[in-house]
Amino acid sequence: MLQINLAISDKYPAVHCFLCHYLKQELGCHIIADIVLNEEQLLRQADRMQPDAIITDLSSYSDSGQLYGVAKIRAIKQRFPRAKIILYTEFNNVPILKKAVNYGVDAIVSKYDAVSEIKKALCEVFVKKHSATWLSKQVKSIIESDIEKSRRLTAKEWEIIQLYSMGFSLSSIAKKQNRAVSTVATQKYNAMKKLNVNSNSELIQYACINNII
């Protein structure tokens, strides 16, 4: 049993209701009020709520005043600094998952995992107290696949990605490396294909998130 104060925020009422019932029955968690994620209400809630853990997705209701995306994680961290955060997400986008890790979530579980992974995440976070973010089976598979893709790049391809993401043009990279522009362009194209990124903006985002620049 895991007798903790648990708050759950999910844009799908059915998911929220199921998680409340499941975790109360399986772990004996005390479910406290749902977190309304807009700035004003979140600030008020911090004064009266003391959650030990918060399960949240990255989405929100259609209300434009609601927080969404990684901003949601940042707001929770600021208002509830002692609470453990378990991200329960339907997104399989690697940059988003890595950014959530960088923002300090304690565990990430995919909504495509078995629901027992949520139970396991809470137990891992509170009992084993991992120093790094705990990842469910599905999330770990997604990130490991991305790491495997990055290993396929040659040293020259890595260098071109780094320089391009820093703002160098292909012609200036070619001049710097004493190579033909067409060769540099081909290597950039091959690197993007291996990393499964489809635009220059996605390439730069990948470089930023993975600390290439």
Side-chain angles (χ1 to χ4, degrees):
M1 302 297 283
L2 194 62
Q3 296 181 341
I4 60 171
N5 292 325
L6 176 64
I8 300 173
S9 174
D10 196 284
K11 76 169 183 175
Y12 300 112
V15 173
H16 177 270
C17 183
F18 173 77
L19 288 178
C20 289
H21 177 76
Y22 174 77
L23 294 172
K24 187 175 181 179
Q25 291 293 113
E26 289 289 317
L27 293 175
C29 297
H30 174 236
I31 309 299
I32 59 180
D34 187 21
I35 298 173
V36 179
L37 286 171
N38 66 48
E39 291 285 2
E40 182 181 349
Q41 290 174 311
L42 190 58
L43 184 60
R44 289 203 302 267
Q45 288 170 336
D47 294 330
R48 60 182 174 80
M49 294 173 61
Q50 296 297 325
D52 299 304
I54 299 169
I55 297 174
T56 180
D57 59 1
L58 288 176
S59 303
S60 69
Y61 297 100
S62 58
D63 182 356
S64 59
Q66 297 279 327
L67 291 166
Y68 64 93
V70 291
K72 199 174 183 184
I73 302 297
R74 183 173 59 238
I76 291 173
K77 291 287 287 184
Q78 290 173 346
R79 300 295 185 255
F80 307 101
R82 296 181 182 178
K84 301 293 186 182
I85 301 176
I86 290 83
L87 175 60
Y88 191 45
T89 180
E90 60 199 272
F91 295 112
N92 289 337
N93 182 287
V94 172
I96 291 177
L97 296 176
K98 287 184 176 179
K99 185 169 285 190
V101 171
N102 291 338
Y103 273 61
V105 298
D106 296 279
I108 305 179
V109 180
S110 170
K111 288 184 177 178
Y112 299 101
D113 278 303
V115 71
S116 58
E117 288 289 289
I118 278 280
K119 175 183 173 182
K120 187 174 182 181
L122 284 168
C123 292
E124 292 284 337
V125 166
F126 280 96
V127 178
K128 297 187 178 179
K129 299 180 179 178
H130 294 267
S131 57
T133 302
W134 184 85
L135 305 176
S136 70
K137 292 180 181 179
Q138 179 76 10
V139 175
K140 188 181 293 184
S141 174
I142 293 167
I143 291 179
E144 286 177 350
S145 175
D146 184 69
I147 292 172
E148 180 59 33
K149 288 177 185 177
S150 68
R151 286 175 179 164
R152 300 173 191 168
L153 270 64
T154 66
K156 285 293 183 184
E157 288 169 345
W158 274 119
E159 185 179 2
I160 289 168
I161 287 175
Q162 183 182 40
L163 291 171
Y164 186 82
S165 299
M166 291 171 63
F168 289 91
S169 65
L170 293 182
S171 58
S172 60
I173 295 172
K175 186 176 181 180
K176 184 179 179 68
Q177 295 184 337
N178 195 26
R179 312 178 79 188
V181 175
S182 58
T183 301
V184 172
T186 298
Q187 289 182 319
K188 173 177 170 286
Y189 170 80
N190 289 339
M192 291 175 67
K193 190 174 181 180
K194 290 176 183 178
L195 295 173
N196 196 30
V197 297
N198 301 310
S199 67
N200 291 332
S201 60
E202 285 185 13
L203 180 63
I204 293 170
Q205 182 184 44
Y206 181 93
C208 290
I209 291 172
N210 290 279
N211 298 316
I212 296 171
I213 55 176

